[in-house]
Amino acid sequence: MNHIKFISILSIVLVLFSCSKDDYRLDTSVDPFVRFNFIVNSNNIPVEYPVVNTTTLPIDTYENQSIKILKIPVSLTTKGLKEAVTVNFSSSTSGDINSFSVEPKNTLLFEGTKLTDTIYLSFEKRWAEKQSITLQLENASDPEIHIGNLNTYAPNKTFTINLGKISTIYTFPVSQYLVKGEVGETIDFKVNFPNGFIPSEIENANIFKFQNGFEYSLTHDDFGDNRSSITYHLTLLEDIQNDDARYESKITLVNTPNYIATGSTGLTIVKPIKSPRDIQANPASKFTDPTNAFYLTYGEHWFNNNGNCSWMTFNALTFPVVVTKDNENAILYSDKGTANPNDDIYHDAFKIGFNVASGTNTVNSFGLKRWFSNESNSAAISPGFNITSALEFFPANGNSKTEGTVLVIPQDITIGSSATNTHVIAISGEGTYKEISNGLYEISFELKLTNDKLFGGTVSTQYRMYNNKTYPKPAALSIPCPKEVTL
């Protein structure tokens, strides 16, 4: 019983001297001390200052599998600072000392209410396996400040980074951009590096494959300290404003010896056919409700069901496509109750898309999850399940508020079962839409999916979509239907 009591007391003391929240508010009788305050969440992802985690204790060893800048907070516990305090630290490694850099070099600063400073660890080269880096707090300008926690079992005055196996990948966060087609027009796009990148490896690497339908130049920003993404600038070098023609160029990420293309690997730049339309018809508004982040449209597709073709149901969170004021299809949604035009929100009057309200999961755009047997629902692996610009409406006579034609916006989507098994699928299709009863709209269209490996070419089926969960069941069709495939 006494043994149990001792353990309880020890636990209380450990929490007292390792806590990371508002340290300067602790009992004023506690001597001031400085220590590493590196905390990870349940997924072993570092919790970055100034975010506070009050339920987890700092760790003194961390396995790093990323080449992004690693931020290592150091915290000072004191009842108050009358003047600035500096703390010196050292760094050492079991590997190549030139493979990383530390900022600041060796001195941390604490002053006023700033009781946490951060060491930034940048990686300049790929490391050898088993390499480690050790940081150690050495001394403080104020001799009354103790180096490390006031205990012997969790001092946190040294911090070791074990460098594990890294996987460097890249992806496009956006898969399609539209251009007006004017010479000199520029669009900016990003390539994301979830685990970071080393500039010297990317600077001269051929990471793109091109399929160009018009002439353009491509440049990128300086890398700077950002190791999570690169911003590229595409500038049109020719005029492509013929309203009756569709122009399209594709940029595809390719695998290199050090970087693997995953998730959304294709970017399409399009100058679409221009069709005269009255934005006041606003058919997109019939299928969205921006006031409801969980608004659904409901659908059925003709699909194989245990060996028989039948209408199968699905639904997906549906949103308007947000555009800028100068977009030719822009219609004002909200002025936010202010006279300032800079905060106005505009939607595309003719387009809708499907996406999650928040987070990293996926919705079931076009019921596509039924097409595959082993798909990943993660947006990092199967971003194609979230089609943010999916359907485009063309009102009859350009101004009808009740009917017209609809286009599945042609684009490449990526769906996979794992980060190393993804497939690029081209989607397209067309049909009609109509108000079939008061306030109830039906979209009727064919969806085509193209991928040689999965489908042996192009497969298609019929779809019906509605803006209300109560709708008449479509009549059975006398046509074949696709079946589930394994990715």
Side-chain angles (χ1 to χ4, degrees), residues 235-479:
T235 303
L236 293 187
L237 300 179
E238 65 171 307
D239 186 280
I240 53 171
Q241 295 185 79
N242 183 351
D243 292 345
D244 298 324
R246 174 184 170 90
Y247 298 85
E248 179 178 289
S249 286
K250 292 185 177 182
I251 300 175
T252 304
L253 288 169
V254 297
N255 294 334
T256 70
N258 290 324
Y259 295 84
I260 303 299
T262 188
S264 182
T265 59
L267 173 66
T268 305
I269 302 95
V270 176
K271 200 295 293 181
I273 295 172
K274 191 173 181 179
S275 176
R277 290 173 287 183
D278 182 359
I279 60 171
Q280 297 306 319
N282 199 9
S285 66
K286 307 298 191 298
F287 300 94
T288 60
D289 180 4
T291 66
N292 180 3
F294 302 99
Y295 178 81
L296 297 168
T297 49
Y298 302 83
E300 308 236 2
H301 59 169
W302 189 245
F303 207 80
N304 185 286
N305 181 20
N306 294 322
N308 298 308
C309 294
S310 65
W311 287 108
M312 305 283 285
T313 63
F314 66 92
N315 59 61
L317 292 169
T318 310
F319 297 93
V321 175
V322 177
V323 294
T324 56
K325 181 181 180 179
D326 61 350
N327 186 293
E328 63 181 1
N329 297 327
I331 188 167
L332 180 65
Y333 167 66
S334 173
D335 63 5
K336 292 191 173 181
T338 73
N340 181 5
N342 295 325
D343 65 0
D344 292 350
I345 300 174
Y346 287 85
H347 293 162
D348 193 306
F350 307 108
K351 293 179 182 177
I352 63 172
F354 312 105
N355 203 359
V356 291
S358 62
T360 59
N361 213 325
T362 53
V363 295
N364 197 11
S365 299
F366 298 135
L368 289 174
K369 293 182 181 180
R370 187 171 286 122
W371 286 71
F372 311 103
S373 62
N374 58 334
E375 73 281 358
S376 169
N377 291 321
S378 164
I381 296 171
S382 299
F385 286 135
N386 296 334
I387 307 177
T388 56
S389 186
L391 291 173
E392 184 169 7
F393 302 96
F394 297 84
N397 301 317
N399 61 5
S400 174
K401 294 187 177 182
T402 59
E403 62 181 334
T405 58
V406 67
L407 179 74
V408 177
I409 299 172
Q411 58 192 285
D412 291 339
I413 63 173
T414 299
I415 294 172
S417 61
S418 68
T420 57
N421 181 37
T422 61
H423 302 268
V424 177
I425 301 167
I427 65 169
S428 61
E430 59 184 346
T432 61
Y433 71 96
K434 185 176 183 179
E435 186 178 27
I436 58 175
S437 64
N438 187 27
L440 178 63
Y441 282 80
E442 177 187 72
I443 309 173
S444 175
F445 62 98
E446 178 186 38
L447 177 68
K448 299 178 181 178
L449 277 65
T450 301
N451 180 283
D452 289 340
K453 184 176 181 179
L454 295 176
F455 310 120
T458 299
V459 292
S460 66
T461 196
Q462 284 291 315
Y463 278 74
R464 306 289 185 266
M465 289 185 63
Y466 304 88
N467 62 338
N468 193 296
K469 63 181 178 181
T470 302
Y471 56 84
K473 186 75 173 180
L477 303 177
S478 56
I479 60 172

Side-chain angles (χ1 to χ4, degrees), residues 38 46 48 64 66-72 101 103 118-124 195-197 224-228:
F38 192 90
E48 294 188 2
N64 183 53
S66 167
I67 53 177
K68 290 194 298 185
I69 293 176
L70 186 63
K71 303 175 184 179
I72 305 158
S101 61
E103 184 66 34
T118 303
I119 299 172
Y120 297 88
L121 191 63
S122 300
F123 299 98
E124 314 301 332
N195 293 331
F197 68 92
D225 293 330
N226 175 22
R227 303 291 175 84
S228 297

